[in-house]
């Protein structure tokens, strides 16, 4: 009986400490930083059009594309292909993506296509591509928008995030932020 | 050196620099000495008063184990019953209840610090479940591990006494003094980097291209902090730490991988401080680190090298094998994360293990098969202690002396317990995999495996290894939300959690009561490099003999077929 009281007592007290107090304190601090606490929503003309870190689907030629996604960038869920490296079906899909990429981007060499543009990400919501993957899309976007390639290269340069502290991790370009800049530049 | 490798290197160095002082601090907490967090003691006193616990009551190993099992049973019942019902509040997405087998699996999984998830967070768990069931268990299961390690330390430092500390006291203090303060800081950094903290449910937005999409969100930041710190690994979202809301950028990725290792490594140092044998603590840390660095380097090598079958398609694979990985982390940090997550029993993933190269997947399997390279918080050290006992026994026999550990004779009873604990792990993994492989071969229409051939076998082997190692990562292609996998894995997780706590703690309890034999010229020195080599050999031999055939059928065969 005594043990039962001990156990229930500790159970309930830790529930209050860990689940109520801890969560509420973090939530309270989140109220001071509403943008962060909501996952950094991105607005355009006063409307939320996305989240900085959540990738979205770009299929039109006039936008820079992100990576293939197994959940089709449906952010209500998340997930990956889970294809093993030797799965023939996987290799077939990658082959088909390469062909389709070449059709939409005539003139680029096969060996210029970075692997991330034809392989799907872990979350299915990867917001980034490498600077190189953005650069090879420049001719296509320039043609679709009828704007100069130099301007696009500048936009990519401005949107390239260097490694953390300049030292750690890969370079990357956030596709949504790049496309927002692109829309803005095209409107001018 | 490129920036990807530098990132990994920095993460590891920072981990050690933080784990050392944390080890000192935890030792003081265990011994009840003065620490800077003593301002929290009124909270603890209140908890003890409300629950009628006398935190200074001396308990022997049997009483401690009894309390540990009883309270964990209670945690399990809490989780199981609440998962069976639909939650009327904190459930903006109106998510239904779990069916019985899935609820059993999930409760077992979180009580055992495994966090194998056969549901998907966005669609399978209400906010109430995430906070009051899953996150709660992430705290208390980690605290159970830390408290058990502390009981072991005390047992090994006793001379002819039966007092092993007070489990309730250690459990509560593990939460208030260790897990909560660090989680708080981590949750804050995660929040500021864009890990959401809101109760308002999925947001509907119209994208730049004009499509409407719902974006799942929730009280993410607090859970992710303890998920890593407590080597739990159960994510808020289905995609775990590859999801941009769980792991928004390279900084958060470094912090997540650092905190996974932090307490596990800290406890190895703490063992040395507690017993006043710093050199021995260092030796054990060294042995684990040799494994860890070798394994990380190999996995990083294979992932950065890329997939030869993709090379055949003649595209550029400079970034490495990117299937299932995120651009913001890159191949190296993903491979390192995977190694750290499987070496400790975290099981969080920032990239999909199913899509790793065959031998990287093999490394993850070996990590979990050894299950003591740092290991889960607390239990990792308990597992390592079992290897230590066996190594002392073997080394003693080789030089023809009575085996002694820290001045205590190791006798038949202790060795029998150690052997059972060592053998339960391969028994659960190999039996489970054999049954699953049989069913899947006889009746392929069950549709469990997602990838054909050797890789499909690896998927099943991985699932049981992960369950038995209380890891929780998966080759997620496996269709595992079925009665077979839910019930089998649930049972495996519970057995593999509690037997390896009961075993080492009872050994410590028995050793505590024994007379201490003064060190003499005839004593086998266990803090020497020679003994380190023996220890490494024992680990390699045990793991290799038990698991090599299974590994040969899965990852090794796949490697040679590419």
């Amino acid at each position: 009986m005594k043990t039962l009281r001990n156990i229930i007592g500790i159970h309930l007290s830790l529930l209050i400490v860990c689940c109520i107090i801890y969560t509420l304190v973090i939530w309270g601090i989140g109220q001071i930083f509403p943008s962060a606490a909501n996952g950094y929503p991105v607005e355009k003309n006063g409307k939320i059009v996305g989240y900085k870190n959540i990738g979205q689907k770009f299929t039109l030629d006039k936008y820079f594309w992100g990576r293939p996604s197994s959940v089709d960038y449906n952010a209500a869920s998340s997930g990956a292909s889970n294809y093993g490296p030797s799965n023939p079906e996987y290799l077939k899909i990658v082959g088909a993506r390469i062909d389709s990429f070449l059709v939409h981007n005539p003139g680029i060499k096969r060996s210029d296509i970075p692997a991330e543009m034809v392989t799907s990400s872990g979350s299915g919501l990867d917001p980034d591509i490498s600077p190189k993957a953005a650069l090879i899309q420049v001719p296509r976007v320039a043609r679709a928008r009828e704007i100069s390639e130099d301007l696009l290269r500048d936009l990519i340069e401005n949107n390239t995030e260097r490694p953390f502290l300049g030292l750690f991790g890969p370079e990357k370009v956030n596709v949504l932020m790049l496309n927002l800049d692109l829309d803005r530049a095209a409107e001018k | 050196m490129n920036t990807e490798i530098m990132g990994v290197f920095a993460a590891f160095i920072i981990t050690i620099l933080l784990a050392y002082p944390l080890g000192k601090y935890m030792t003081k907490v265990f011994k009840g000495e003065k620490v800077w967090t003593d301002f929290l003691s009124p909270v603890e006193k209140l908890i003890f008063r409300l629950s009628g616990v006398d935190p200074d009551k001396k308990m022997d190993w049997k009483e401690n184990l009894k309390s540990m099992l009883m309270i964990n049973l209670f945690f399990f019942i809490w989780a199981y019953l609440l998962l069976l019902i639909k939650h009327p509040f904190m459930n903006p997405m109106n998510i239904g209840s779990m069916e019985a087998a899935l609820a059993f699996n999930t409760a077992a999984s979180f009580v055992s610090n495994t966090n194998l998830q056969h549901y998907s967070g966005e669609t399978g768990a209400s906010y109430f479940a995430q906070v009051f069931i899953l996150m709660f268990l992430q705290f208390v299961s980690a605290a159970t591990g830390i408290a058990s390690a502390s009981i072991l330390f005390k047992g090994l430092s006793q001379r002819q006494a039966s007092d092993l500390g007070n489990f309730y006291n250690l459990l509560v203090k593990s939460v208030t003094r260790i897990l909560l303060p660090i989680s708080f800081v981590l949750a804050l950094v995660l929040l500021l980097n864009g890990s959401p903290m809101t109760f308002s449910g999925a947001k509907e937005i119209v994208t730049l291209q004009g499509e409407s999409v719902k974006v799942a969100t929730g009280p993410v930041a607090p859970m992710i902090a303890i998920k890593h710190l407590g080597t739990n690994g159960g994510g808020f979202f289905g995609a775990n730490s590859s999801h941009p809301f769980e792991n928004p950028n390279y900084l958060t990725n470094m912090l997540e991988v650092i905190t996974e290792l932090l307490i596990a490594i800290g406890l190895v140092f703490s063992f040395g401080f507690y017993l006043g044998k710093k050199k021995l603590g260092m030796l054990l840390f060294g042995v684990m680190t040799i494994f860890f660095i070798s394994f990380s380097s190999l996995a990083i090598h294979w992932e950065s090298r890329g997939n030869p079958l993709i090379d055949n398609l003649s595209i550029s694979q400079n970034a490495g094998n990117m299937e299932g990985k995120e651009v913001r982390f890159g191949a190296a940090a993903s491979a390192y994360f995977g190694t750290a997550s499987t070496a400790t029993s975290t099981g969080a993933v920032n990239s999909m293990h199913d899509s790793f190269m065959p031998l990287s997947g093999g490394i993850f399997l070996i990590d979990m098969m050894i299950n003591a390279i740092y290991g889960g918080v607390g239990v990792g050290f308990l597992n390592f202690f079992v290897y230590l006992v066996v190594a002392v026994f073997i080394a003693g026999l080789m030089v023809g002396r009575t085996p002694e550990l820290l001045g205590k004779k190791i006798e038949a009873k202790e060795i029998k317990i150690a052997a059972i604990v060592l053998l339960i792990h391969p028994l659960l993994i190999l039996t489970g995999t054999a049954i699953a492989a049989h069913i899947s071969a006889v009746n392929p229409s069950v549709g469990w495996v997602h990838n054909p051939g050797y890789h499909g076998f690896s998927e099943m082997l991985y699932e049981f290894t992960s369950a038995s190692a209380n890891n929780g990562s998966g080759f997620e292609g496996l269709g595992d939300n079925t009665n077979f996998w839910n019930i089998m894995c649930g049972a495996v997780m519970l057995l593999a959690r509690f037997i390896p706590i009961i075993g080492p703690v009872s050994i410590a309890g028995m050793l505590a009561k024994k007379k201490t034999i003064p060190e003499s010229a005839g004593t086998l020195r266990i803090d020497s490099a020679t003994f380190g080599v023996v220890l490494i050999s024992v680990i390699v031999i045990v793991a290799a003999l038990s698991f090599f055939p299974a590994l040969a059928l899965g990852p090794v065969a796949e490697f040679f077929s590419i």
Side-chain angles (χ1 to χ4, degrees):
Chain A
M1 212 47 225
K2 173 122 196 315
T3 317
L4 199 63
R5 188 193 156 197
N6 295 162
I7 288 175
I8 295 177
I10 290 185
H11 184 99
L12 293 179
S13 337
L14 290 183
L15 209 58
I16 292 168
V17 172
C18 298
C19 302
I20 299 179
I21 299 177
Y22 167 65
T23 312
L24 278 183
V25 170
I26 301 289
W27 178 81
I29 295 171
Q31 298 304 300
I32 311 171
F33 306 98
S35 176
N38 285 303
Y40 289 117
V42 177
E43 289 186 9
K44 188 185 169 189
N45 306 328
K47 264 202 173 142
I48 295 180
V49 292
Y51 292 83
K52 184 176 166 254
N53 295 319
I54 300 284
Q56 47 183 252
K57 191 161 79 175
F58 290 107
T59 46
L60 302 176
D61 280 345
K62 65 170 185 166
Y63 283 121
F64 285 95
W65 298 347
R67 302 182 60 193
S69 159
S70 305
V71 296
D72 204 24
Y73 285 104
N74 172 13
S77 64
S78 58
S81 74
N82 285 308
Y83 281 128
S86 62
N87 189 333
E89 204 178 315
Y90 161 60
L91 298 167
K92 224 193 302 173
I93 290 173
V94 174
R97 286 188 190 131
I98 296 173
D99 294 341
S100 144
F101 196 84
L102 288 170
V103 169
H104 283 273
N105 297 274
I108 64 165
K109 282 199 303 255
R110 213 178 156 88
S111 58
D112 283 338
I113 304 176
E116 84 252 20
M117 290 310 289
V118 290
T119 53
S120 61
S121 61
S123 59
L125 307 170
D126 194 341
D128 304 306
I129 55 176
S130 66
K132 199 183 146 200
L135 286 170
I136 56 166
Q137 301 184 48
V138 163
R140 184 195 75 231
V141 178
R143 230 173 298 127
R145 296 247 180 190
E146 296 178 338
I147 51 178
S148 84
E149 296 195 3
D150 286 341
L151 176 77
L152 292 180
R153 274 190 215 102
D154 285 347
L155 286 180
I156 293 173
E157 176 70 26
N158 293 338
N159 276 284
T160 301
E161 294 170 49
R162 307 280 162 226
F164 176 57
L165 302 178
L167 292 171
F168 309 128
E171 278 194 332
K172 61 197 169 58
V173 176
N174 183 308
V175 182
L176 174 61
M177 302 315 268
L178 175 63
N179 281 330
L180 277 167
D181 274 4
L182 176 60
D183 272 354
R184 235 170 271 140
E187 275 162 25
K188 269 178 200 162
Chain B
M1 220 177 355
N2 75 39
T3 52
E4 286 197 41
I5 303 290
M6 294 224 317
V8 169
F9 200 68
F12 187 62
I13 300 290
I14 294 170
T15 311
I16 297 171
L17 292 180
L18 293 175
Y20 192 80
L22 179 69
K24 267 191 188 160
Y25 167 80
M26 288 194 292
T27 311
K28 286 186 189 159
V29 171
F30 296 154
K31 290 191 170 177
E33 290 168 12
K34 259 196 188 147
V35 280
W36 65 273
T37 47
D38 281 341
F39 68 89
L40 290 167
S41 68
V43 179
E44 289 150 3
K45 275 184 193 140
L46 186 68
I47 295 177
F48 292 134
R49 212 176 58 224
L50 290 175
S51 44
V53 168
D54 171 11
D56 299 320
K57 190 188 158 205
K58 293 186 170 104
M59 286 157 82
D60 66 12
W61 66 272
K62 282 181 190 156
E63 287 171 279
N64 271 310
L65 282 179
K66 200 181 115 200
S67 317
M68 186 275 290
L69 289 171
M70 291 284 284
I71 200 164
N72 271 279
L73 177 69
F74 201 81
F75 294 150
F76 176 83
I77 295 171
W78 164 264
Y80 181 66
L81 293 181
L82 283 178
L83 286 172
L84 284 176
I85 54 170
K86 188 175 161 180
H87 305 129
F89 43 87
M90 286 179 77
N91 190 4
M93 308 300 296
N94 208 16
I95 290 166
S97 63
M98 287 188 183
E99 56 92 22
L102 179 61
F104 167 71
N105 184 279
T106 306
S109 173
F110 281 78
V111 162
S112 63
N113 198 252
T114 311
N115 294 203
L116 200 65
Q117 294 166 293
H118 288 178
Y119 64 94
S120 191
E122 296 96 328
T123 49
S126 70
Y127 292 169
F128 177 83
Q130 301 271 26
V131 173
F132 284 90
I133 306 173
L134 306 178
M135 189 178 79
F136 175 66
L137 290 179
Q138 292 185 328
F139 273 104
V140 293
S141 66
T144 298
I146 297 173
S148 305
S150 164
I151 288 169
L152 179 88
F153 295 171
K154 181 138 195 180
L156 295 177
S157 65
Q158 288 291 30
R159 293 153 183 253
Q160 276 184 291
S162 60
D163 167 28
L164 256 62
N166 183 306
F167 178 78
Y168 297 127
N169 181 28
L170 291 165
L171 179 84
V172 170
K173 282 193 177 155
S174 298
V175 172
T176 55
R177 300 302 182 91
I178 300 169
L179 296 170
L180 261 181
I182 307 178
S183 291
F184 177 75
V185 176
L186 185 59
L188 218 54
V189 180
L190 284 168
L191 175 88
L192 293 178
N193 279 279
S195 203
M197 176 64 226
T198 159
F199 292 104
S200 60
K203 272 247 169 62
E204 184 140 8
I205 56 159
V206 178
T207 67
L208 219 50
Q209 250 191 206
E211 286 159 68
S212 82
V213 172
K214 271 195 180 153
V215 180
T217 168
V220 184
M223 180 176 179
I224 303 315
I226 183 63
K227 162 196 160 201
H228 289 272
L229 185 69
T231 63
N232 291 289
F236 194 94
F237 299 103
N240 208 287
S241 274
S242 71
H243 195 292
F245 277 164
E246 272 197 49
N247 195 356
N249 55 38
Y250 201 81
L251 169 67
T252 58
N253 188 62
M254 281 176 94
L255 290 174
E256 287 182 9
V257 79
I258 287 168
T259 44
E260 271 170 39
L261 293 161
L262 193 59
I263 293 181
I265 296 182
L267 281 171
V268 182
F269 292 133
S270 173
F271 167 76
F273 297 133
Y274 199 109
L275 297 177
K277 294 190 183 300
K278 255 203 244 172
K279 205 177 154 197
L280 182 59
M282 282 299 183
L283 178 87
L284 302 189
F285 170 71
V287 167
M288 295 181 189
T289 303
I290 288 172
F291 281 105
F292 183 69
I293 291 182
S294 322
F295 288 167
S296 314
S297 313
L298 288 170
I300 291 170
H301 164 77
W302 281 311
E303 293 315 301
S304 308
R305 155 76 188 75
N307 185 346
L309 296 175
I310 296 288
D311 277 340
N312 294 346
L313 301 170
S314 57
I315 56 169
S316 155
Q317 225 187 159
N318 290 336
N321 172 25
M322 287 304 286
E323 180 68 31
K325 295 194 181 63
E326 302 277 300
V327 168
R328 63 191 180 283
F329 311 137
S334 299
Y336 178 70
F337 195 106
T339 317
S341 173
T342 47
T344 66
S345 78
T346 311
V349 296
N350 75 350
S351 48
M352 295 304 143
H353 289 187
D354 219 348
S355 301
F356 271 64
M357 297 310 296
L359 291 184
S360 308
I363 290 284
F364 299 161
L365 279 164
I366 296 172
D367 264 342
M368 297 187 287
M369 286 162 174
I370 296 175
N371 205 15
I373 306 170
Y374 310 133
V377 287
V379 289
F381 193 84
L382 298 185
N383 287 333
F384 198 84
F385 173 73
V386 175
Y387 285 112
L388 188 64
V389 170
V390 173
V392 164
F393 180 67
I394 291 175
L397 290 185
M398 284 198 309
V399 296
R401 292 197 191 107
T402 326
E404 279 167 29
L405 178 63
L406 304 163
K408 304 291 178 82
K409 263 192 204 153
I410 302 275
E411 288 166 302
K413 211 168 176 188
E414 289 87 29
I415 286 295
K416 274 185 203 156
I417 297 173
I420 290 172
V421 173
L422 268 193
L423 291 175
I424 199 89
H425 192 46
L427 180 78
L428 292 172
I429 294 172
L430 298 175
T431 316
T433 311
I435 295 172
H438 177 74
I439 296 176
S440 187
V442 172
N443 185 10
S445 64
V446 289
W448 290 338
V449 295
H450 176 60
N451 290 289
Y454 307 120
H455 198 89
F457 176 78
S458 300
E459 286 180 344
M460 295 186 280
L461 176 64
Y462 197 102
E463 189 73 2
F464 274 107
T465 309
S466 175
S468 184
N470 287 168
N471 183 272
S473 63
F475 273 14
E476 289 300 337
L478 185 76
D480 49 19
N481 186 12
T482 63
N483 282 341
F484 173 84
W485 289 102
N486 283 334
I487 294 168
M488 286 289 275
C489 289
V492 166
M493 287 187 281
L494 291 175
L495 290 171
R497 166 69 168 181
F498 292 105
I499 293 172
I501 294 181
I502 296 169
V505 168
S506 56
I507 294 178
M510 291 170 193
L511 292 182
K513 281 188 220 154
K514 290 188 186 184
K515 250 191 257 160
T516 308
I517 309 155
E519 256 182 50
S520 68
T523 308
L524 177 79
R525 293 203 63 89
I526 64 164
D527 54 2
S528 63
T530 324
F531 183 73
V533 175
V534 174
L535 195 51
I536 292 176
S537 318
V538 165
I539 294 172
V540 170
I541 291 167
V542 169
L545 286 183
S546 320
F547 295 112
F548 184 74
L551 287 170
L553 289 175
V556 177
E558 191 188 6
F559 170 74
F560 283 113
S561 73
I562 285 187

